[in-house]
């Protein structure tokens, strides 16, 4: 085949491809499609209490300091394990040097260790916290939505979001004079499930300053959570 013949063949192929483009474009066009969004929400109780306590000390001997911190934490863990329904997690533990005024010589060591306690039994954890404040200090008291509660909430919101989307889809179909619709795609997104909510420092300082160890009064409150349904429908016109 000559160069001219090959060129002619390529041109013919190219023209054939161009000629088929309108047909391909017609196949990919989507008529009567509408994007819709529906959103539902509910109040969900923060039903998980999270308390972080810590012990802190300093010593010129890092070995003795570590032993002192370990002893304090072991006693705290043993005390907390006596209470049912409390999940215990050891938090961070850090040790760092203390320098003289000129920052040239190490004069001692300071160490801090944390104990994190979680429970849905607010009364039990509050009582335990009050008792442990006689030997430990409070870093934070937080509230969150427990995983089982979150899952149940999401399942309920999902059903509500689907029904809300269907109602809006039917409303749009009726407005256009359609005889029906079909859902092309549908996506769900949740919002508002909080990270643990921390109580203010004023309450914590007050608890630390008390000579006795009263039970802290707590009110976890609720969070407004929502789920949105974003999708596309295709309206079937008469």
């Amino acid at each position: 085949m000559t160069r001219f013949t090959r060129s002619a063949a390529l041109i013919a192929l190219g023209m054939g491809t161009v000629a088929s483009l309108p047909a391909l474009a017609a196949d990919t066009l989507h008529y009567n499609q509408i994007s819709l969004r529906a959103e539902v929400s509910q109040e969900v109780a923060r039903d998980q209490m999270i308390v972080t306590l810590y012990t802190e000390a300093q010593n010129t001997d890092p070995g003795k300091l570590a032993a002192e911190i370990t002893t304090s934490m072991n006693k705290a863990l043993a005390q907390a394990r006596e209470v049912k329904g409390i999940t215990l997690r050891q938090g961070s533990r850090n040790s760092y040097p203390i320098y003289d005024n000129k920052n040239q010589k190490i004069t001692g060591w300071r160490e801090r260790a944390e104990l994190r306690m979680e429970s849905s039994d607010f009364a039990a954890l509050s009582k335990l916290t009050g008792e442990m404040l006689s030997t430990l200090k409070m870093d934070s008291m937080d509230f969150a939505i427990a995983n089982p509660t979150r899952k149940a909430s999401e399942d309920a919101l999902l059903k509500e979001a689907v029904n809300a989307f269907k109602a809006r889809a039917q409303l749009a179909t009726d407005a256009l004079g359609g005889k029906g619709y079909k859902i092309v795609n549908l996506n769900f997104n949740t919002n508002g499930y909080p990270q643990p909510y921390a109580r203010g420092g004023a309450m914590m300082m007050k608890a630390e300053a008390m000579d006795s160890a009263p039970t802290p009064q707590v009110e976890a409150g609720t969070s407004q959570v929502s789920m949105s349904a974003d999708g596309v429908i295709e309206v079937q016109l008469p």
Side-chain angles (χ1 to χ4, degrees):
M1 181 181 292
T2 64
R3 180 180 302 175
F4 175 79
T5 304
R6 286 198 299 270
S7 299
L10 289 172
I11 292 172
L13 176 61
M15 292 300 293
T17 303
V18 171
S20 66
L21 285 178
L24 291 174
D27 290 339
T28 57
L29 287 177
H30 299 289
Y31 296 98
N32 308 324
Q33 289 195 353
I34 303 174
S35 297
L36 296 175
R37 177 185 177 88
E39 186 170 334
V40 293
S41 63
Q42 64 178 202
E43 292 288 331
V44 180
R46 299 188 184 101
D47 59 348
Q48 184 178 40
M49 181 177 176
I50 305 166
V51 175
T52 302
L53 304 178
Y54 71 95
T55 182
E56 190 173 35
Q58 68 182 57
N59 199 306
T60 56
D61 186 329
K64 292 181 180 179
L65 176 61
E68 179 184 351
I69 294 295
T70 298
T71 298
S72 296
M73 291 303 295
N74 286 346
K75 289 182 179 178
L77 284 167
Q79 181 180 359
R81 288 189 181 114
E82 294 296 319
V83 181
K84 295 181 179 180
I86 308 293
T87 300
L88 303 177
R89 307 180 193 277
Q90 287 186 273
S92 62
R93 179 167 177 170
N94 301 295
S95 177
Y96 53 91
I98 302 173
Y99 293 91
D100 60 17
N101 293 333
K102 296 182 180 180
N103 288 329
Q104 294 180 347
K105 183 179 178 181
I106 296 177
T107 59
W109 293 84
R110 179 174 292 276
E111 188 165 339
R112 170 181 164 130
E114 295 180 345
L115 174 62
R116 179 183 172 103
M117 304 184 294
E118 304 175 7
S119 180
S120 58
D121 188 339
F122 288 9
L125 184 51
S126 294
K127 182 175 184 297
L128 176 62
T129 298
E131 295 170 352
M132 297 182 74
L133 285 176
S134 61
T135 55
L136 300 179
K137 298 178 181 179
M138 184 184 291
D139 179 76
S140 65
M141 179 184 290
D142 307 333
F143 297 94
I145 297 174
N147 287 335
T149 305
R150 173 171 180 156
K151 184 180 183 305
S153 170
E154 286 181 337
D155 290 347
L157 283 173
L158 179 63
K159 294 178 181 178
E160 292 181 22
V162 169
N163 290 333
F165 185 87
K166 287 181 177 179
R168 181 152 291 188
Q170 188 61 55
L171 181 65
T173 300
D174 293 343
L176 290 172
K179 62 179 182 179
Y181 71 89
K182 65 178 181 179
I183 297 176
V184 178
N185 62 65
L186 189 58
N187 300 295
F188 299 95
N189 293 287
T190 56
N191 295 286
Y193 289 98
Q195 296 296 321
Y197 168 73
R199 292 290 296 267
M203 178 271 178
M204 292 184 285
M205 288 187 292
K206 182 178 179 182
E208 291 177 11
M210 292 179 178
D211 295 331
S212 60
T215 300
Q217 297 298 312
V218 298
E219 179 57 49
T222 62
S223 290
Q224 185 178 62
V225 298
S226 63
M227 178 176 290
S228 61
D230 297 275
V232 176
I233 64 169
E234 186 172 298
V235 177
Q236 300 168 0
L237 298 177

